[in-house]
């Protein structure tokens, strides 16, 4: 027995230190989050922001959990940022304890290892307090079972009653087999309840100094009181010894009806054990993440201090170049060519803000910020099913962000990538200027754009930063370093030459670009009309 535990522990430790990639069925993983997201919370990360921040990939990177319960709690945690510094400090202490104390970590791993079956994903069905599904015709099951027993016993005095026994046996068998698949499906959470109870009891008895484990004595006692009833569904009947009495006496139907009421009454106790077990599993996963990546514990300050990020990087980008930023007072206008690093850096800032307020861990050397809700508009697309154009999707998304900032000014971090690019240049610049100017006093704003004109239009309330690349005759490369000030170089056409576009195309583009740039200089004439543009485009290079 001891050797078996040691082998399990070695396997679990190896998996914790370097978790193997595994496939995730997110509809299952998200079941706990979906079940409780209607409850009051500081913030729930919208689907758009979750997608923009590559939430599912981020979850997979962090997922060193042992149990499905831990997976569900980790997913819920990542999508439910907190504004509670004490709770985040407590979670940080839990992750530190499990990282630094191998004995405590081993106890936690062994306790959680018994809760690894896929059926554990369905435990969340028992925590809401809502009644479990009823079985069709369940009210007749007691009568059918009693009728069979009565005719069976009565037949010893009046043998003709055994005909009724045969009829009822046939009826009960049909009733049993018609409902067998449905019963197997709806008792899945009940089959795992005993394992949840044992995992919670072992964690509680281990005496780990983790906050959620301290008040578990009462919930565990209440949960233990219904274990004898639930144990019926946990018996493995490999030899089919119980199949005949189950079929004739409808034991599955009768026991399910009995357990259904008891489980509903004990839903708060089940939830307390579920969340405590999931909390420990989440802390283990975060402790593993901290061992594998360079991280820091976030500090939370006042709104006046703004957001301060030092050597922040994106953990999903191999070899990501770290960058620093202070976002306070003025917003940030980010310029640079495609692939230079603008969107990755905005995601880096968003991921740091999200992880700071969910797992008290930032991929950076230092992070200090006020509590804030992260909202993004980075990867929008048109919608064929609803017939919405790209611009309409953009406009509706921005309207929601404006409403959110109006409802709770000063509490949002907005990350916006190339707003209104679904429309023409003139109206795009005008709409960008109006929206960004409106948002700046209502939150912390970082907006990326290719429109250099916005820097001058918004210089009173935004500061400019940029990323740039270097293009030579032989190669091009990006240093991915954030630099202060507006972008002063243009390399897009030189990049076309580097990609071996026809020389005529490159020359014509360079000539027209130079003419347009000259017209855009201060003191120059009005911008070219479409007719003038066509004329310049067809003139000799």
């Amino acid at each position: 027995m001891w050797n078996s535990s040691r082998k399990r522990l070695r396997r679990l430790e190896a998996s914790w230190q370097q978790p193997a990639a595994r496939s995730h069925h997110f509809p299952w993983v998200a079941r706990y989050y979906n079940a409780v997201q209607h409850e009051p919370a500081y913030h729930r990360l919208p689907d758009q922001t979750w997608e923009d921040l590559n939430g599912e990939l981020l979850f997979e990177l962090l997922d060193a959990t042992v149990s499905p319960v831990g997976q569900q709690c980790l997913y819920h945690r990542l999508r439910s940022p907190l504004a509670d510094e004490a709770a985040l400090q407590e979670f940080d202490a839990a992750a530190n304890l499990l990282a630094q104390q191998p004995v405590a970590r081993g106890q936690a791993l062994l306790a959680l290892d018994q809760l690894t079956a896929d059926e554990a994903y369905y435990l969340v069905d028992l925590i809401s307090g809502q009644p479990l599904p009823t079985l069709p015709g369940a009210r007749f099951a007691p009568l059918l079972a009693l009728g069979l027993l009565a005719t069976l016993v009565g037949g010893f005095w009046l043998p003709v009653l055994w005909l009724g026994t045969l009829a009822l046996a046939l009826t009960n068998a049909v009733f049993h087999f018609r409902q067998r698949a449905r019963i197997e499906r709806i008792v899945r959470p009940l089959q795992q309840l005993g394992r949840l109870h044992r995992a919670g009891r072992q964690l509680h008895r281990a005496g780990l100094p983790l906050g959620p484990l301290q008040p578990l004595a009462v919930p565990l006692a209440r949960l233990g009181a219904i274990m004898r009833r639930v144990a019926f569904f946990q018996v493995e009947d490999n030899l089919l010894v119980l199949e005949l009495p189950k079929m004739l006496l409808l034991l599955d139907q009768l026991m399910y009806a009995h357990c259904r009421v008891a489980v509903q009454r004990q839903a708060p106790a089940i939830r307390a054990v579920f969340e405590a077990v999931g909390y420990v599993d989440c802390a283990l996963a975060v402790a593993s993440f901290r061992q594998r990546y360079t991280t820091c514990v976030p500090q939370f300050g006042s709104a006046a201090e703004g957001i301060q990020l030092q050597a922040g990087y994106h953990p999903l980008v191999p070899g990501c170049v770290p960058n620093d930023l202070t976002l306070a007072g003025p917003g940030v206008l980010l310029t640079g060519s495609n692939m230079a690093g603008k969107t990755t850096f905005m995601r880096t800032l968003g991921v740091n803000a999200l992880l700071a307020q969910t797992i008290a861990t930032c991929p950076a050397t230092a992070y200090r910020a006020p509590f804030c809700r992260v909202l993004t508009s980075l990867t929008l697309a048109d919608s064929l099913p609803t017939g919405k154009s790209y611009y309409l999707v953009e406009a509706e998304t921005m309207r929601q962000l404006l409403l959110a900032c109006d409802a709770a000014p000063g509490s949002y971090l907005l990350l916006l990538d190339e707003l209104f690019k679904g429309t023409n240049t003139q109206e795009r610049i005008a709409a960008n200027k109006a929206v960004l100017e409106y948002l700046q006093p209502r939150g912390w704003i970082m907006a990326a754009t290719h429109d250099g004109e916005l820097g001058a239009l918004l210089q009173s309330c935004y500061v400019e930063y940029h990323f740039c690349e270097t293009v030579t005759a032989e190669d091009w490369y990006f240093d991915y370093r954030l630099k202060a000030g507006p972008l002063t170089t243009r390399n897009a056409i030189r990049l076309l030459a580097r990609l071996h576009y026809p020389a005529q195309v490159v020359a014509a583009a360079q000539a027209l670009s130079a003419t347009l740039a000259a017209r855009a200089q201060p003191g120059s004439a009005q911008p070219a009309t479409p007719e003038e543009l066509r004329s310049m485009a067809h003139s000799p290079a």
Side-chain angles (χ1 to χ4, degrees):
M1 181 72 174
W2 173 243
N3 287 335
S4 175
S5 294
R6 286 196 299 180
K7 289 180 181 178
R8 284 173 58 210
L9 186 55
R10 283 198 296 269
R11 170 179 59 82
L12 291 167
E13 276 280 358
S15 179
W16 174 81
Q17 291 173 1
Q18 193 61 47
R22 52 182 170 179
S23 59
H24 294 85
H25 188 52
F26 279 97
W28 288 0
V29 172
R31 295 185 86 237
Y32 173 52
Y33 173 75
N34 293 334
V36 302
Q37 66 170 304
H38 65 281
E39 298 176 356
Y42 170 72
H43 186 45
R44 303 284 189 200
L45 212 64
D47 290 343
Q48 181 64 51
T49 301
W50 179 249
E51 293 172 9
D52 284 345
L53 297 181
N54 305 114
E56 291 188 358
L57 293 176
L58 189 63
F59 171 86
E60 290 173 355
L61 184 70
L62 286 161
D63 183 23
T65 58
V66 179
S67 68
V69 173
Q71 282 187 324
Q72 291 176 326
C73 288
L74 178 62
Y75 183 92
H76 170 264
R77 178 173 284 272
L78 289 176
R79 294 202 62 171
S80 305
L82 303 174
D84 185 339
E85 188 168 1
L88 291 166
Q89 288 174 345
E90 183 180 62
F91 186 81
D92 168 53
N96 279 339
L97 172 77
L98 295 172
Q100 298 169 7
Q101 297 190 17
V103 174
R105 182 170 66 248
Q107 291 173 319
L109 289 169
L110 289 171
L112 292 164
D113 189 44
Q114 60 192 311
L115 196 58
T116 58
D118 286 345
E119 286 76 9
Y121 285 114
Y122 296 96
L123 280 166
V124 71
D125 295 342
L126 308 179
I127 71 174
S128 67
Q130 297 297 316
L132 292 173
T134 57
L135 294 172
R139 63 182 182 277
F140 300 116
L143 297 176
L144 292 171
L146 288 173
L148 185 142
L149 290 173
T151 56
L152 179 63
V153 174
F156 289 101
W157 287 272
L158 190 61
V160 72
L161 290 177
W162 282 338
L163 295 175
T165 303
L166 291 175
L168 285 169
L170 180 61
T171 301
N172 289 1
V174 172
F175 190 83
H176 170 78
F177 284 111
R178 288 187 63 180
Q179 295 198 351
R180 185 175 182 177
R182 182 180 288 109
I183 290 174
E184 288 176 352
R185 184 174 66 254
I186 63 179
V187 300
R188 283 180 295 193
L190 296 179
Q191 292 172 333
Q192 293 296 309
L193 199 53
R195 294 179 179 272
L196 178 68
H197 179 254
R198 288 195 296 275
R201 186 174 57 192
Q202 286 184 23
L203 290 170
H204 186 252
R205 288 179 177 176
L208 303 177
L210 306 180
L213 296 180
Q214 307 310 311
L216 271 193
V218 173
L220 285 169
R222 291 178 177 171
L223 189 53
I226 63 173
M227 282 299 100
R228 287 187 297 274
R229 306 172 193 178
V230 174
F232 175 82
F233 296 105
Q234 298 170 318
V235 175
E236 295 184 3
D237 187 23
N238 295 327
L239 299 178
L240 303 180
V241 175
L242 291 176
E243 188 60 29
L244 185 61
K246 282 184 176 183
M247 178 179 67
L248 297 179
L249 299 178
L250 303 177
L251 295 181
D252 282 341
Q253 289 83 352
L254 295 174
M255 288 302 300
Y256 174 72
H258 194 48
C259 290
R260 178 174 173 269
V261 176
V263 166
Q264 183 181 358
R265 289 174 180 167
Q266 297 303 334
I270 296 171
R271 179 168 182 173
V273 178
F274 178 97
E275 291 178 344
V277 168
Y279 184 95
V280 175
D281 213 352
C282 286
L284 278 168
V286 171
S288 171
F289 178 72
R290 291 177 174 183
Q291 297 278 342
R292 292 178 284 126
Y293 290 87
T294 300
T295 63
C296 70
V297 177
Q299 302 295 317
F300 298 101
S302 65
E305 297 176 87
I307 299 173
Q308 302 168 31
L309 178 68
Q310 292 182 18
Y313 68 97
H314 201 304
L316 290 173
V317 179
C320 185
V321 175
N323 279 293
D324 302 342
L325 177 72
T326 296
L327 183 56
V332 167
L333 204 59
L334 199 56
T335 54
S337 61
N338 291 324
M339 302 186 299
K342 302 189 305 299
T343 306
T344 297
F345 181 67
M346 287 195 291
R347 287 194 173 106
T348 295
L349 180 59
V351 165
N352 272 273
L354 174 64
L355 297 186
Q357 293 179 218
T358 54
I359 61 171
T361 305
C362 293
T365 58
Y367 174 89
R368 182 175 179 82
F371 290 110
C372 57
R373 301 169 174 91
V374 181
L375 292 178
T376 64
S377 175
L378 302 178
T379 56
L380 301 180
D382 57 0
S383 175
L384 291 177
T386 60
K388 292 181 179 179
S389 69
Y390 183 88
Y391 179 73
L392 182 56
V393 171
E394 280 188 305
E396 290 181 344
T397 300
M398 283 310 304
R399 177 178 177 275
Q400 294 302 318
L401 298 188
L402 291 170
L403 291 175
C405 288
D406 281 340
S411 68
Y412 283 93
L413 168 63
L414 301 185
L415 305 173
L416 313 172
D417 191 13
E418 298 183 44
L419 296 182
F420 306 118
K421 62 183 178 183
T423 189
N424 64 78
T425 302
Q426 180 176 329
E427 291 186 301
R428 179 178 66 246
I429 293 173
N432 264 284
K433 193 261 184 183
V435 167
L436 294 177
E437 197 170 48
Y438 182 85
L439 285 173
Q440 188 273 328
R442 291 167 170 79
W444 294 275
I445 317 296
M446 175 176 282
T449 181
H450 284 294
D451 296 316
E453 299 90 336
L454 281 174
L457 293 171
L458 293 169
Q459 62 181 347
S460 63
C461 52
Y462 281 80
V463 293
E464 290 190 77
Y465 287 85
H466 70 275
F467 289 91
C468 63
E469 73 285 350
T470 300
V471 180
T472 66
E474 295 78 24
D475 201 0
W476 77 91
Y477 63 90
F478 303 94
D479 62 12
Y480 304 111
R481 295 289 182 185
L482 182 67
K483 303 173 180 66
L487 182 67
T488 57
T489 59
R490 294 185 178 183
N491 289 317
I493 298 175
R494 294 177 65 190
L495 184 56
L496 299 183
R498 178 67 187 82
L499 291 172
H500 306 295
Y501 271 56
Q504 182 181 354
V505 171
V506 175
Q510 287 176 330
L512 181 57
S513 176
T515 303
L516 293 175
R519 286 179 174 270
Q521 293 300 319
S524 66
Q526 294 294 318
T529 66
E531 291 75 15
E532 291 173 322
L533 289 175
R534 282 193 292 269
S535 174
M536 287 186 287
H538 289 91
S539 63

